[in-house]
Amino acid sequence: MYRIGELSALYDIKADTLRFYEKHGLLSPSSRSGSGYRLYNQDDSERLKFILRAKAVGFSLNDIADLLSIEVDKSNRACAEVKGLVDTKLEQVEAKLAELQHFATSLKSLSNTCCGGSDSAEHCSILEALESSDQHIIAKKEHHHFSHSGHKD
Amino acid sequence: MYRIGELSALYDIKADTLRFYEKHGLLSPSSRSGSGYRLYNQDDSERLKFILRAKAVGFSLNDIADLLSIEVDKSNRACAEVKGLVDTKLEQVEAKLAELQHFATSLKSLSNTCCGGSDSAEHCSILEALESSDQHIIAKKEHHHFSHSGHKD
DNA sequence: CTTGACCTTGGATTAAACTCTAAGGTTTAT
DNA sequence: ATAAACCTTAGAGTTTAATCCAAGGTCAAG
Ligand SMILES: [Zn+2]
Ligand SMILES: [Zn+2]
Ligand SMILES: [Zn+2]
Ligand SMILES: [Zn+2]
C-alpha cells in the first residue's frame, strides 16, 4: 500500500496530479486509511503506469479514460475499438504535424531571406513578407471543411 | 471606413475576434462613429492583414504584438530583432514537431500490431503494450534515439 | 506537548485564442 | 413607428493538464 506521497514519488509526479486524476475519474485509490488518507495498492500502481504510458504516446486524459474503460472490460470489448482510438489519435497527430510542418517551412523561408544584422529593419524582408503576403514565403493553408456538429439554438 | 461587421466579413473572422484583438492591444479602430461604433480605415485593414499572416506562419498573438511593435517603428529597430523572433518561433515549432513525430511513430507501431477485428480485446497487442511498456512499441521520450536514417529533408 | 512533515478539501490560477451571453442602444427599411 | 439587423459593454465559458493555495486534520519524534 502506498500513500499519495509515496506513489507520486515513485513515478516522479506531484501528489496534486494524482488527486487531479482521481477527480477526473482516471485513478482512485482502492482504499482509505482510518483518517482518510488515500491508500493505493499494486493494481492502482499498475493503472497509473498504464495512464502514464498512454500519455507518453500522445493520448489526452479524456482519451485515456476511454482506453481504461476498455482495459477493465477487455474480454467483452473488441480490438476494433482499441485500434479505432489509436487510429483517431494518429489522424489528429498527423493533422497537427502537417500544420506545424507548414509553419516550420514558412518560418525557415522567412529566416533565410533576412540578413539578421543590426541595421535598420526598414526594409526587412520578413516584415515585408508579412505586409504583402509574399506567396513564395508564406504558404497558404488549405481550407479544410471539417463538418463539426456544433449546433446550438 | 469599415464597421466591425464589414471588416470581419472581409476577412472571414468574427466581430468578436476583432474586439478581442482590440482588448489585447493588437488592433484598434482609428475612429468611432457618433454613436460609438468602431470605424476601421484602410491602415487598420492592412494591420489586420499583417496579424492574420503572422498567425498563418505560426506566431501567437503575443508574438504578433512584439512583431507589430517593431513594424510600427521599423526604422529604429534592427533586422536582428525580427529574425530573432522568427528563429525563436522556429525552434519552438521544431520542438513540438519532434514530440508529435514521436507520438506518430508510437501510434503507428501500436496500430500495426493490432488486428483491429471484432474479436475480444483480451489479448489486444495495443492494450498489452500499454500494460507492459513494450520498448519496441512505445519509444521513451528521455531516450534521444534519433538514429532514424530516413530520407533527407 | 509541540514541531514539522504530511495529509485532507475545495477553489483559484495558469496559458491561448477565442466564443458566447445578457442587457441594452442605433440604424435602416417598411 | 416599429421590427430587424446591427452595434455597445463587461464578463463568463471553453479546452487541457495540471499547479498552487488556504485552512485545517494527523502522525512520529523528542
Ligand atoms: Zn536586414
Ligand atoms: Zn530582416
Ligand atoms: Zn485483435
Ligand atoms: Zn488489438
Side-chain angles (χ1 to χ4, degrees), chain B residues 70-127:
Chain B
I70 297 175
E71 167 72 16
V72 298
D73 187 31
K74 291 167 94 153
S75 53
N76 295 311
R77 312 293 290 264
C79 262
E81 290 183 77
V82 184
K83 187 165 179 160
L85 289 175
V86 169
D87 289 345
T88 297
K89 181 54 54 177
L90 181 56
E91 274 172 34
Q92 290 167 9
V93 167
E94 286 184 332
K96 189 76 189 170
L97 222 30
E99 185 188 24
L100 290 182
Q101 260 149 6
H102 153 80
F103 288 164
T105 302
S106 294
L107 289 168
K108 273 180 216 159
S109 297
L110 285 172
S111 183
N112 286 150
T113 58
C114 173
C115 73
S118 54
D119 47 304
S120 160
E122 185 90 59
H123 303 292
C124 177
S125 58
I126 294 171
L127 295 179

Side-chain angles (χ1 to χ4, degrees), chain B:
Chain B
M1 294 300 238
Y2 309 98
R3 284 193 304 179
I4 197 168
E6 293 165 341
L7 190 65
S8 66
L10 199 54
Y11 290 100
D12 198 25
I13 60 179
K14 297 265 166 71
D16 273 336
T17 302
L18 287 174
R19 291 190 200 98
F20 177 81
Y21 287 173
E22 183 175 345
K23 191 158 62 179
H24 289 74
L26 292 176
L27 176 66
S28 297
S30 47
S31 57
R32 293 284 182 132
S33 73
S35 55
Y37 286 15
R38 289 167 178 81
L39 294 174
Y40 299 87
N41 67 14
Q42 200 53 45
D43 280 353
D44 298 333
S45 174
E46 292 300 321
R47 190 173 164 110
L48 178 56
K49 242 187 261 177
F50 185 101
I51 292 167
L52 297 177
R53 284 190 205 109
K55 263 173 61 67
V57 300
F59 285 109
S60 71
L61 299 189
N62 269 83
D63 300 330
I64 294 172
D66 293 343
L67 238 17
L68 283 168
S69 84
I70 297 175
E71 167 72 16
V72 298
D73 187 31
K74 291 167 94 153
S75 53
N76 295 311
R77 312 293 290 264
C79 262
E81 290 183 77
V82 184
K83 187 165 179 160
L85 289 175
V86 169
D87 289 345
T88 297
K89 181 54 54 177
L90 181 56
E91 274 172 34
Q92 290 167 9
V93 167
E94 286 184 332
K96 189 76 189 170
L97 222 30
E99 185 188 24
L100 290 182
Q101 260 149 6
H102 153 80
F103 288 164
T105 302
S106 294
L107 289 168
K108 273 180 216 159
S109 297
L110 285 172
S111 183
N112 286 150
T113 58
C114 173
C115 73
S118 54
D119 47 304
S120 160
E122 185 90 59
H123 303 292
C124 177
S125 58
I126 294 171
L127 295 179
E128 281 171 4
L130 292 174
E131 286 157 19
S132 68
S133 193
D134 186 333
Q135 300 297 131
H136 297 285
I137 292 175
I138 304 174
K140 289 215 76 176
K141 205 183 293 185
E142 287 76 19
H143 285 181
H144 293 287
H145 274 229
F146 295 141
S147 42
H148 257 278
S149 60
H151 56 76
K152 172 189 165 30
D153 181 70

Side-chain angles (χ1 to χ4, degrees), chain A residues 26-87:
Chain A
L26 293 176
L27 177 66
S28 297
S30 47
S31 58
R32 293 283 181 132
S33 73
S35 53
Y37 287 14
R38 290 167 176 81
L39 295 174
Y40 298 89
N41 66 14
Q42 200 53 46
D43 281 352
D44 299 331
S45 173
E46 293 298 322
R47 190 172 165 111
L48 177 56
K49 241 187 262 179
F50 185 101
I51 292 167
L52 297 177
R53 285 190 205 110
K55 263 173 61 66
V57 300
F59 285 110
S60 71
L61 299 187
N62 269 87
D63 299 330
I64 295 172
D66 293 342
L67 238 19
L68 282 167
S69 84
I70 297 175
E71 166 72 15
V72 298
D73 187 32
K74 290 167 94 154
S75 53
N76 295 311
R77 311 295 289 266
C79 262
E81 291 182 77
V82 184
K83 187 165 179 159
L85 289 175
V86 169
D87 289 344

Side-chain angles (χ1 to χ4, degrees), chain A residues 84-100:
Chain A
L85 289 175
V86 169
D87 289 344
T88 298
K89 181 53 55 177
L90 181 56
E91 274 173 35
Q92 290 166 10
V93 167
E94 287 183 331
K96 190 76 190 169
L97 222 30
E99 186 188 22
L100 290 182

